[in-house]
Amino acid sequence: MARHAVQIYEAESSLLESARELAQDALRAGHAAVLVCTPQHQHALEALLRADGFDVDGALARHQLVLADAEATPATFMRDGQVDAGRLRQAADSLIAPALASHGRVAAFGEMVVVLARRGLYEAALRLESLWDEWLLAEPRVDMLCAYPADLAATAHGPAAAFGPAVHAAHGEVIPTGCSVLSGTSRPLETVQAILASAPASPHPAWFYSNVARPFGLSEEQVARAFLTMEAAGEVERAPDDAWRVRAG
């Protein structure tokens, strides 16, 4: 049976890390990863996968990695503010079928539901989730991970009030915030995020690791990965002296 999971995230870097984990696991297993993200997240994930040593260009050419625009793609299946099931199936097939045919299994990550909800199209967003669920039941070789920002999932008033609970109900699995989408255990990234909330504003990597991160049981590699992800999300920036500066909200 296909996996249809959801994770609520607090920081943009947490979203990137979840999609990055999913894609890395699929690519290393010889499967395909289909990432339907906003252009900003798409570019960040492509850069992170390159930094991780993946041949992104080669993976794209052989349909092992598929990157699609979550802001533009809904236009291919929306009609009068509603999801057209037939057009959605065509859009899904165009994204997933070549990867599935070539690599046997697909791990998909999507932000289209969030894009629709941000536009106030809550009914269409939930209809999209429902149709995905129906399609996944019929195609056990595709796993889907959805990610929702905490502010959207927790909206408690207006037409969005029922959206958060409905999102949880639409998925077979809810991955705890700040946990690995693969193992379900706590991630180093969120530990680093918490440390930075009280650490000096411009920590040097060596100082940060030796004096702050190591006592929390984090390795240098885990700290470096966390900072790279936060940099890709625009949450920190590297200064000329090689220190990391936390960007103001």
Side-chain angles (χ1 to χ4, degrees):
M1 181 177 177
R3 181 190 193 199
H4 189 197
V6 64
Q7 185 174 49
I8 309 302
Y9 64 90
E10 299 281 352
E12 294 290 301
S13 55
S14 294
L15 174 147
L16 292 179
E17 185 65 13
S18 293
R20 182 186 187 184
E21 279 187 298
L22 191 81
Q24 286 180 325
D25 185 62
L27 295 174
R28 286 171 178 158
H31 301 151
V34 175
L35 309 178
V36 188
C37 309
T38 63
Q40 179 182 0
H41 293 156
Q42 185 181 130
H43 296 150
L45 285 166
E46 184 175 347
L48 287 171
L49 290 173
R50 290 185 191 279
D52 291 331
F54 289 98
D55 176 11
V56 170
D57 294 329
L60 289 168
R62 60 180 176 265
H63 302 294
Q64 190 177 12
L65 177 64
V66 179
L67 300 174
D69 186 341
E71 294 179 352
T73 302
T76 65
F77 58 76
M78 294 292 291
R79 184 188 301 178
D80 299 325
Q82 298 296 325
V83 178
D84 182 296
R87 291 183 178 182
L88 174 63
R89 183 56 187 263
Q90 291 176 353
D93 283 345
S94 69
L95 289 173
I96 294 175
L100 199 57
S102 299
H103 304 284
R105 191 166 190 88
V106 167
F109 175 83
E111 290 190 88
M112 288 191 293
V113 175
V114 173
V115 168
L116 292 177
R118 290 292 194 202
R119 294 172 181 172
L121 300 173
Y122 299 105
E123 182 180 341
L126 292 174
R127 175 63 173 158
L128 178 56
E129 282 287 17
S130 176
L131 289 169
W132 270 123
D133 208 39
E134 291 177 15
W135 188 72
L136 290 172
L137 285 173
E139 180 45 86
R141 297 175 297 166
V142 178
D143 297 310
M144 169 67 75
L145 172 65
C146 304
Y148 290 84
D151 69 296
L152 183 61
T155 302
H157 55 81
F163 185 72
V167 162
H168 284 77
H171 295 82
E173 179 185 358
V174 178
I175 303 169
T177 300
C179 290
S180 166
V181 299
L182 303 178
S183 67
T185 58
S186 298
R187 287 191 304 212
L189 170 65
E190 281 74 17
T191 301
V192 172
Q193 290 171 346
I195 293 171
L196 281 178
S198 57
S202 302
H204 190 279
W207 179 92
F208 184 84
Y209 169 68
S210 299
N211 295 282
V212 182
R214 187 163 58 180
F216 282 84
L218 300 181
S219 68
E220 286 187 84
E221 181 180 357
Q222 289 172 330
V223 170
R225 179 184 174 104
F227 273 105
L228 189 64
T229 306
M230 289 187 291
E231 182 184 32
E235 296 164 1
V236 299
E237 59 184 352
R238 197 179 316 208
D241 60 0
D242 204 32
W244 291 93
R245 308 194 192 286
V246 179
R247 288 184 173 174

